Amino acid sequence: MTLLGHDAVWREWHAARGGRRMHHAWMLVGREGLGKASFARAAASELVAEPAVVQPAYDHHPDIHTLIPLPANEDEAKKRDDGKPFATKRNISVDQVRGMQRRLVTRPTLGARRAVVIDAADLLETAAANALLKSLEEPPQGTFFLLIVHQLGRLLPTIRSRCQVLRFHPLDAQDMGRALDLLAPGIDALTRDAAIAVGAGAPGAGLAFAEQDLGRVWQLMHTLVARGDADLSLRAELAAAIGQRPDRDRQMAALTAARMVLVDAMGTGDARSHAALADAHVALVRLAREAPTYNYDPGLLMLEIGALLAGVAHTRGGRN
């Protein structure tokens, strides 16, 4: 994911590294799932490398410090330690930033440079962002900061003003397909096509969708928008395809797929159908925002998604 579709970003980065004086702070800006974190890992590893010095793996390198949200609680921390998926806190805390700053008072261990990767900087608590600002204003010698940023508007202007920007753009369909072939070589053609569409240029988002195996769900959603569902049979089939007890990730993936199906449909039709599609999209965005908080019954949530998709069919010549 660091190479596919991001050649221009690498050229800009390497040109900066080859200059007389490289800037000490960089923001990697773009929507989530584009491969910014993979780029940061590779770029940080390049920064700290020294000729003829054996370099440890990224996660164990003494001169690479990574700040990410911590596990949500002790149970989630145990899952992390066991190598299992785990839930995280919503933000990066000021204590994490201060802990990193205490490590920066010493010299790098293996060479002349060290790297600090923050994933993601728009998750910093307000106090954490203010603490980081001090390091950006007076960076320790040989220290370089790589700030992964999904939503630039959430970052303090004072932080933005002290960073150089590397912009990551969505991949085209061909590069998306290549990325999925590398990352998920065993998926079927339908799921691959769905993941390319739902990912919308973000390989990480496409891979997350592919891992849920929702190709048939995506296909049924397109049929609902095109034909409607007068006898409710398609909605029943949709619910069955998603499963009786879909977990939170699978529910959110289905909501994302539904939104992208509506976006695809925007390419055809008249103003009346576009208005109906837009209204349904707004409703799905609201559901996606509320679902993690209100803990909707999965079956009812899927029926609501199906109803919203089927509801636009009559404006496009289908049967509601």
Side-chain angles (χ1 to χ4, degrees):
M1 283 197 294
T2 57
L3 296 175
L4 290 175
H6 297 313
D7 293 345
V9 180
W10 276 115
R11 285 194 297 271
E12 185 175 352
W13 172 256
H14 287 141
R17 284 202 61 203
R20 295 181 59 186
R21 185 175 180 181
M22 185 176 176
H23 196 71
H24 69 280
W26 295 79
M27 290 192 305
L28 282 50
V29 179
R31 60 167 290 198
E32 192 167 2
L34 288 176
K36 302 188 299 298
S38 296
F39 179 97
R41 291 172 67 94
S45 297
E46 283 188 1
L47 272 172
V48 301
E50 293 283 344
V53 177
V54 176
Q55 299 295 311
Y58 176 93
D59 291 331
H60 302 286
H61 202 295
D63 295 326
I64 300 176
H65 310 299
T66 305
L67 296 185
I68 60 174
L70 295 173
N73 51 48
E74 291 184 3
D75 288 341
E76 298 302 323
K78 187 176 185 305
K79 292 179 184 177
R80 177 200 60 186
D81 296 341
D82 292 340
K84 299 176 181 178
F86 63 95
T88 66
K89 296 182 179 179
R90 297 180 61 182
N91 299 106
I92 296 172
S93 71
V94 64
D95 288 340
Q96 289 177 263
V97 173
R98 288 173 177 161
M100 173 269 294
Q101 290 171 326
R102 286 192 291 271
R103 299 178 67 181
L104 299 186
V105 300
T106 60
R107 295 178 59 84
T109 302
L110 297 180
R113 296 177 298 275
R114 79 177 114 221
V116 176
V117 177
I118 302 180
D119 186 9
D122 37 343
L123 298 179
L124 290 163
E125 294 176 347
T126 301
N130 287 322
L132 175 65
L133 183 59
K134 298 183 189 311
S135 294
L136 298 180
E137 291 173 337
E138 300 177 9
Q141 185 174 1
T143 298
F144 296 87
F145 295 86
L146 296 167
L147 279 61
I148 296 166
V149 181
H150 306 315
Q151 300 181 52
L152 188 58
R154 296 182 59 182
L155 212 57
L156 289 175
T158 46
I159 289 181
R160 298 202 303 263
S161 67
R162 285 163 175 78
C163 298
Q164 294 274 47
V165 176
L166 289 173
R167 293 195 178 275
F168 289 70
H169 300 285
L171 275 61
D172 60 27
Q174 182 176 4
D175 279 339
M176 279 289 292
R178 290 170 58 205
L180 287 169
D181 290 342
L182 288 171
L183 297 167
I187 60 175
D188 61 85
L190 177 59
T191 299
R192 181 181 184 274
D193 289 345
I196 291 172
V198 174
L207 177 63
F209 183 81
E211 289 174 342
Q212 293 294 336
D213 192 23
L214 292 174
R216 176 57 178 160
V217 167
W218 178 75
Q219 185 180 55
L220 287 166
M221 288 176 172
H222 270 285
T223 305
L224 280 163
V225 170
R227 289 172 31 196
D229 188 27
D231 61 0
L232 306 184
S233 60
L234 281 174
R235 269 168 273 194
E237 194 173 348
L238 178 67
I242 292 172
Q244 289 187 345
R245 295 182 179 276
D247 61 20
R248 182 61 50 79
D249 289 343
R250 192 166 175 83
Q251 292 176 48
M252 298 308 293
L255 280 161
T256 300
R259 291 193 295 104
M260 294 310 301
V261 165
L262 293 176
V263 170
D264 286 346
M266 283 282 190
T268 60
D270 55 18
R272 178 168 172 258
S273 67
H274 287 173
L277 289 166
D279 289 344
H281 190 274
V282 168
L284 286 170
V285 169
R286 185 182 66 251
L287 278 176
R289 184 174 62 247
E290 294 175 349
T293 302
Y294 293 106
N295 196 26
Y296 292 131
D297 176 86
L300 293 177
L301 179 62
M302 295 307 123
L303 286 175
E304 178 65 14
I305 293 172
L308 288 168
L309 296 175
V312 303
H314 72 283
T315 68
R316 301 171 53 79
R319 304 184 307 277
N320 192 6

